[in-house]
Amino acid sequence: MAGPLTENQISEFREALCLIATDSNGFFTMDELATLIQSVNGPPTKEAVQVMIGEADVDGNGMINSEEFINIIARS
């Protein structure tokens, strides 16, 4: 995506995160991220998921929250 995200895009990405996060807490756990990746690209390795979370997890809690998720999407 080129340029900053619009408020509408941010809202849509937050909704998507809530749908994907199975416990609806607004965070991706390692298992949830693995499930998402598997639905798109096939089964990921545990190491690949850990690397993705490590790169995106700004606050270091081991999960990807909505702000971290939106930052990933904005960089794509």
Side-chain angles (χ1 to χ4, degrees):
M1 283 188 176
L5 298 175
T6 66
E7 288 299 317
N8 189 45
Q9 288 172 313
I10 291 170
S11 177
E12 288 176 5
F13 289 131
R14 283 194 175 126
E15 280 182 43
L17 175 61
C18 288
L19 292 173
I20 296 165
T22 57
D23 53 12
S24 299
N25 67 355
F27 291 89
F28 280 126
T29 63
M30 192 164 93
D31 290 337
E32 291 166 335
L33 183 58
T35 299
L36 173 63
I37 295 166
Q38 183 171 353
S39 71
V40 176
N41 293 328
T45 65
K46 182 177 180 178
E47 293 78 19
V49 175
Q50 287 174 326
V51 167
M52 288 178 203
I53 288 179
E55 290 174 354
D57 183 21
V58 176
D59 60 14
N61 67 351
M63 297 184 285
I64 298 173
N65 64 31
S66 61
E67 295 303 316
E68 293 163 337
F69 177 69
I70 290 167
N71 286 334
I72 292 168
I73 297 299
R75 290 190 312 229
S76 303

